[in-house]
Structure formats: structure tokens, C-alpha cells
Amino acid sequence: LYILDINKGPDQHDRNLQKIVPGLQPCGSFDSSYDLRQLLLSTCQLAPIGLGAFSGPTTISSESVIGGPAKKIKILDHAVTMLRAVTPTILLLLVENGNGDTSQNGLWDMNTDGTGLIRLTNDKQNAQSLCQFSQYAWSNVSRDGTMYALQEVIPNTDPTKTTYNMYYGSMSSGLPNEFANIVGTQLSLAGWTSL
């Protein structure tokens, strides 16, 4: 993971970039903290069998956005494949174990200090995802920080029968509510707004 200084223009090469995280794992995620001062990382493992199957444990850590020593926040037994800082004190974690124990798969929230882990959804088909277009907090959480949103894609061998679902729920109790679905036409979560 490198820092790209936009003030230096378009002709930059990796030898001139500042490396802040060497050798990212093939499983995991990263985000900046809500105040943009810390880099938050989740690193998990590829399962020994099957390509693309993720497994735990996952280490969640933080470090300065300009690099430096990492501080462990939490170690979880399962594969955290998406991590988002959605308020100054709350992280969203998407657990997507590809093999072994998949009973914990789904969306969770956790305090930024590693305490208060709460399950929000179940994902028995490894089909859920947070917004894939942006890591901005309002891509996944309402502007007042009380509700989350996520998308679900249930594939089919016939693409015209792939199902796309959208859900929202309370950050304090989970229990997702479906608010949109369509079959055969792509439906993707872009973010929250207010009217």
C-alpha cells in the first residue's frame, strides 16, 4: 500500500512512492479512520484448499496514515473481507469465511478499540457486500449513523436469473429489512442521501 501525492502530478512511479504497508495479504481490507488520521487494516488468510476461499484468523490493526508501527486492535477467528470506519467510534466488518465455520458470516459492527462486537446480519451464501464504489462513511451508513445498508447478489448459472437484493437495518440491533430486489438486472448500493 503506497501514498500517492497528487501534487506531484500524473507521472509518478512506484520507486518514487512512499510505501506504508508492505506485502498486503490477499485477503483483507483497509480504510482510513473517520478523522483520517489512522489507517485501519484487516488481514486474513487464504484457505489451504480452494482458490479464493478466505479463512481466519483476521488481525485488525491501525497505524498512522503516513506509515509507522501497527497497533493491534482485535484478532477474530473468522475472515473479515471488508472493513469500514463509519463513525468516529464504530467499524463495520463483513465476515465471509469461504471454508470451515461459515456460521459467523455476515455484517458485524465493533467499536474502534475492539470492544462491543455486535452481529447485524447472517450471510449463509457469502452473497452480502458493503458499497464497492466508495469507502466514504455515508456509502454504508445513514447520515445520522443509526442505520446501515448492504447489498446481496445471489448468482445463478443463468445470469438472467441472478438475484440482487438491498437491505437496511439498525446499527444497534441488526435485523435487516429488504427494501429492493430485482432478478437479471444489476442493482448496486451507491450510498445514503437525505431528502
Side-chain angles (χ1 to χ4, degrees), residues 9 36 49 55 58 66 150:
L36 308 177
I49 53 171
S55 69
T58 294
I66 58 170
L150 58 85

Short mmCIF file of all heavy atoms in Angstrom, two decimals, residues 9 36 49 55 58 66 150:
data_model
loop_
_atom_site.label_atom_id
_atom_site.label_comp_id
_atom_site.label_asym_id
_atom_site.label_seq_id
_atom_site.Cartn_x
_atom_site.Cartn_y
_atom_site.Cartn_z
N GLY A 9 1.77 15.38 -9.62
CA GLY A 9 1.36 15.16 -11.00
C GLY A 9 1.18 13.70 -11.37
O GLY A 9 1.37 12.80 -10.55
N LEU A 36 -9.51 10.56 9.54
CA LEU A 36 -8.48 10.48 8.51
C LEU A 36 -7.06 10.46 9.06
O LEU A 36 -6.10 10.64 8.31
CB LEU A 36 -8.62 11.63 7.50
CG LEU A 36 -9.99 11.80 6.87
CD1 LEU A 36 -10.01 13.00 5.95
CD2 LEU A 36 -10.41 10.55 6.12
N ILE A 49 -7.25 -25.01 0.90
CA ILE A 49 -7.89 -25.71 -0.21
C ILE A 49 -8.83 -24.76 -0.93
O ILE A 49 -9.51 -23.95 -0.31
CB ILE A 49 -8.66 -26.96 0.27
CG1 ILE A 49 -9.64 -26.58 1.38
CG2 ILE A 49 -7.73 -28.03 0.75
CD1 ILE A 49 -10.59 -27.67 1.77
N SER A 55 -10.26 -17.50 4.98
CA SER A 55 -10.44 -18.07 6.31
C SER A 55 -9.76 -17.18 7.34
O SER A 55 -8.97 -16.30 7.00
CB SER A 55 -9.87 -19.50 6.36
OG SER A 55 -8.47 -19.49 6.26
N THR A 58 -8.34 -13.26 11.52
CA THR A 58 -8.13 -11.92 10.99
C THR A 58 -7.54 -11.05 12.08
O THR A 58 -8.02 -11.05 13.21
CB THR A 58 -9.46 -11.30 10.51
OG1 THR A 58 -9.95 -12.03 9.39
CG2 THR A 58 -9.27 -9.85 10.11
N ILE A 66 0.57 7.90 7.42
CA ILE A 66 1.85 8.07 6.71
C ILE A 66 2.81 6.94 7.04
O ILE A 66 4.00 7.01 6.74
CB ILE A 66 2.48 9.45 7.03
CG1 ILE A 66 2.71 9.63 8.53
CG2 ILE A 66 1.64 10.57 6.46
CD1 ILE A 66 3.54 10.84 8.88
N LEU A 150 -26.75 -2.60 2.99
CA LEU A 150 -25.86 -3.52 2.30
C LEU A 150 -26.57 -4.12 1.11
O LEU A 150 -27.80 -4.02 0.98
CB LEU A 150 -25.31 -4.61 3.23
CG LEU A 150 -26.27 -5.52 3.97
CD1 LEU A 150 -26.69 -6.71 3.11
CD2 LEU A 150 -25.59 -6.04 5.21
#
